[in-house]
Amino acid sequence: MTEELFFAVGQEALLVVLKIALPVLGVALLVGILVSIFQAVTQIHELTLTFVPKILAVIVIGVLLGPWMARTLLDFARELFWNLPLLFR
């Protein structure tokens, strides 16, 4: 395995990880900002108010985008295993 091929596979793996994690992290960030604005406006500083909406939003995104995430990860793994003989020439 050459260095170029090694780094190409690593780069593709990182892109798949970013593609899968970005929607979940983006929704958690957006919900966190909205809850923070709500807390600042209403002056309610309950600790659980910051966690519960984020957890629910992440669960909803996981349910909605779970099949797409699994398909993306399986496509990458399938491509990696399919090209495995080419990697060790």
Side-chain angles (χ1 to χ4, degrees):
M1 179 185 287
T2 64
E3 287 182 15
E4 294 86 17
L5 193 56
F6 176 77
F7 286 119
V9 170
Q11 181 180 11
E12 185 68 27
L14 287 175
L15 287 175
V16 168
V17 167
L18 282 175
K19 194 187 305 185
I20 289 173
L22 205 59
V24 175
L25 293 175
V27 167
L29 177 69
L30 183 66
V31 169
I33 289 172
L34 291 175
V35 168
S36 295
I37 291 172
F38 176 76
Q39 283 182 332
V41 169
T42 61
Q43 295 183 357
I44 299 173
H45 295 290
E46 179 64 33
L47 188 60
T48 58
L49 188 61
T50 60
F51 292 112
V52 173
K54 281 189 209 177
I55 290 171
L56 292 176
V58 167
I59 289 172
V60 167
I61 288 298
V63 168
L64 292 177
L65 296 182
W68 171 78
M69 292 176 183
R71 190 175 341 108
T72 302
L73 191 58
L74 286 174
D75 288 344
F76 173 72
R78 186 179 303 120
E79 182 180 333
L80 188 63
F81 283 124
W82 184 259
N83 293 325
L84 202 57
L86 301 175
L87 296 177
F88 292 105
R89 279 190 172 175

